[in-house]
Amino acid sequence: MQGTGLGLNIVKRYVELLEGDISFISRQNEGTVFTLCFPDQVCRINGEAE
């Protein structure tokens, strides 16, 4: 079942309102990892500090 595609757009808008950043890495047949970073916070990807 597919969605409307609105979810990620809503998340992106809220992240921007909080002066954050959103990025992703996508690999075919493996999935996608989204990373949200906010000011004054340490960003972590799979438990590792970025």
Side-chain angles (χ1 to χ4, degrees), residues 10-11 14 24 26-27 32 34-35 37 49:
I10 292 168
V11 170
Y14 275 105
F24 69 94
S26 186
R27 293 193 176 105
T32 304
F34 288 89
T35 303
C37 294

Side-chain angles (χ1 to χ4, degrees), residues 5-21:
L6 289 174
L8 188 54
N9 188 45
I10 292 168
V11 170
K12 180 181 180 285
R13 286 180 162 231
Y14 275 105
V15 169
E16 289 173 348
L17 284 172
L18 295 169
E19 298 179 1
D21 186 51

Side-chain angles (χ1 to χ4, degrees), residues 18-50:
L18 295 169
E19 298 179 1
D21 186 51
I22 184 171
S23 61
F24 69 94
I25 297 173
S26 186
R27 293 193 176 105
Q28 190 171 355
N29 299 322
E30 290 184 29
T32 304
V33 174
F34 288 89
T35 303
L36 308 176
C37 294
F38 298 95
D40 300 324
Q41 299 293 318
V42 175
C43 293
R44 297 185 179 275
I45 299 176
N46 294 331
E48 299 292 325
E50 185 179 82

